[in-house]
Amino acid sequence: MAIDDDNNLGTPTPDHSGSPPERLALRSSQVRAIDTIMAFLAGEDPRRALVQAPVGFGKTIVIAELCSRLIRAGRARKILIVADLRWDALSICAALRRYHPAGDPARSSGLLRVGQYIGGVSVPGNVVVATSQRLLGRAKVQEQGHGAPLVDDEILDGIDLVLVYEAHPTTQSALVEFSDKISAPLIAFGISADERTLDLFGGKPLWRQGFEQAILEGYSLPPRTYRLTSALEASAGSPWSPARIREVVTEFRDKLFSEAFPDRTIVPKTLIFTTSDAQANVVVEACRQVFEETQDFAVKITAHLPNPYEVLARFCTERRPRIAVSVDMLASGVDIPAVECLVFLRPIRSELLYQQMLGRGVRRIDSGSLQAVTPDATEKAFFAVFDAVGVTAEGHFATADRVPRQDHHRLTARRVRLSDLLAGGVLSAGAYLRFKSRRTGSVTTAVVRDDGRLDLLDGRVFSSPSAAASAVAGYPLNGWTAWVTEEEDAPLDQLRQTMLNAAVDDLDKLAQESATLRKAADAEELESPDGPDSEAGSETEARVRCLAELRRLRRDADAGKPHRLSVREFIALWGARGRDAHLIEIVETDLSNHGLVTVPDFRLVTREDQVTVGLSADAATVPSDTFERDAVDTPLTDLTGTTRVSEKLEPSKIRQRPERGLVVGNLPAASLDVASVKPDATIEQAITTMLLHDYSQLAVMSGQRNLSGAVTWKSIAKARHQKRDAPLSAAVIPAVEVSYAEDLIDVLPKITAHDFVFVRGPHNTISGIVTASDVVLTYGVMTSPFFIIGEIDQILRWIIEDAIDIERVQVLCDAGGTRRIDGFHRLTMGDYQRVLENPESWAALGWPLDRKVFSQWLRRICEMRNNIMHFNGDPLPDDMVTTLKNFLALLREYCP
């Protein structure tokens, strides 16, 4: 087994054996690539460049020769090589330690002193190989320090050049920023590049060679494709059952010997890629049954095995096993020249991943080595690709490439999951996570499954990091801060922020494109009566601004500088002026993704109250087995007033929680200053204070938090009636106290019984007094829009019923007949909108009004109606109430 290049440079472990260095001749294409890079670095102010090379090109040889030339010529003192995967980084280390410059046969040892910055290992050298997680994690910690340099580690000091080995676009962007900050040029190596990656490198690669050219030059083998039609026909239906998998394996067996290798009797070395570890088990068993073979014929090689690399070594060098089934562990980073068959049982949307997988088959191998593992083979002239999912279809990636970008955008509208980190390349299947209890010091290890779930070593499986952490600790924990990666000691939250930053960058680019198109349309003054539709672009731009601001809030919170702002200012980040159920869901999703909370909970106070936006790791949440704990390894407390963050086990099926109505803290009176007298005051002082403030009751307090009771005109009159010179203590009655976070509907009986209640606010102080009149006023303000909307609905129905036939309405609103609209009474506000936006229907009204303007207003009315009917805890802004009233006045004027 060798590294992911065709140079057979050995296993991916550090070489301490003292074996002689590898001496290899460079191919002409490799020489051209190196010469091009050297010329680029010799130019004026080189910053960054992209080198695109096909699988099997020999990127590690090119990197090794490049480092050797630069250091030997004194043009670089220290070079940093960065890889995403630990396996790739260790492979590069091993290759560099054995590499010998091809044109210097007299050397007995390599010029390169290879250092490591991988996992917990830090080894100095003039060429340092690092994993991106550790490097960027270290850089982030240093950047957040007060005046500290970007990287203060001696091993990383004085970097003259950064070389990036096959990094994910998200990582690549962060590494470009890193290289800019340390003023070092960056050369990135990759198989292919998407549009965003090309933008990082000036729109085009410095040097490029395609897969076809590699085949023509003779160092890569061509594929022959065979479609497994039974699987393709069934793939769009129900999930693959064991029976269906056996059918697919049977077709693979038949085509293997009838079409691909008709002169063979021994199954060629075959790699099968599946969707999950569980499916891999089923495929292994199906292969043994279909081929009627023993246990050692087909094996699974995934991170779930205790010894995957031992099994892989046997597959590479021994006659058995013949078939290896994996998910993505063998997609890159390994060189198995004897593999002659690839079988795709998993859908692939990334062309880069697909090309990496093809790289397992392109390697050449001499006849003797091939026959050592496959005795009836004469030579390897091609490799066979068996496609069960349509990945080889023409135009597949022209469509598939767009899917990840759309998914990336949706990341900003729902809670991030581990599966997103896997899809984004910031976390690898099979990665080990560690959780250390601060209470006991015990360490628990978990393995990331390829489906995004976590396996504990005791066999338990969890669908989220928080569920796993809570099970280990025995109480709710925020798993995103509790679990850290075993290799880089980076919390999962750090990887989540990297993913979100990439999503924001992606959205930002889309927003800029939308703005450009909108400006062009405005400049051309399109003659369409409806004009250009720019709402989608405007919404995207607003979303980018919101997420960028959240990124700033998180950065400042990390630095110990949380922001304090009013709830009105806070929800304005989302372009909102009120807190309806839809907005609350979006806000809490965004806060959860960014590891933030508001204290107090922004939902439980008025829009004028102040909240602090800080890290969720510093706050407590409500107890629930589905809620994320917002304090790492700290006992759950009874603290309230912190934004509750939930992690849904099945996001598509389980709501975060039911919508809630008003809470006491939403009433303005709940957060007004409370006038009071001390327990030793005179009754005259109480009377004077009540007269000056026009109060009917007054708090008796010995401090902001110590409520002793209350006095009212009724209690004073009763005390003085019994004794003319009665002291204040005789007039004091028990105080009824409620929390600002309680539902108002639950508090109403107390207000009815006692006329008023005192409110204990988020900081445990008495923050206000709520009376029956306060409740009546609040409900009055909130219910008036209901009556206006009701009248608007009724008038619109009358207008349509008077001017338009029901048949026409049915065509516009229920063409399929599924809703059974048999009368105007069944129409909704959305139906009114569809009918009146239709030019023919509008003409039937005969109104001397503009249809476009009226439709825009009606669309706004529909949005307000949905807001109101889903119970917005805040009163509608005055201008929105005015809009409703003006629209109603217009309808009344034209109502028949």
Side-chain angles (χ1 to χ4, degrees), residues 46 48 155 159 436 654 686 752 759 805 819 860-861 887:
R48 64 189 73 145
I155 295 175
I159 296 169
K436 183 176 182 179
I654 303 176
T752 301
V759 180
D805 295 334
R819 293 176 53 197
R860 293 176 59 192
I861 298 300
F887 191 78

Side-chain angles (χ1 to χ4, degrees), residues 146 219 254 285 304 431 438 496 569 604 721 726 747 753 796 835:
H146 302 287
Y219 61 85
D254 295 342
E285 186 59 32
H304 294 273
R438 294 182 181 177
R496 179 170 60 175
E569 295 169 329
L604 305 183
H721 176 73
V747 174
L796 283 173
V835 171

Side-chain angles (χ1 to χ4, degrees), residues 670-681:
S671 57
L672 296 177
D673 292 336
V674 178
S676 65
V677 293
K678 294 184 177 180
D680 57 358

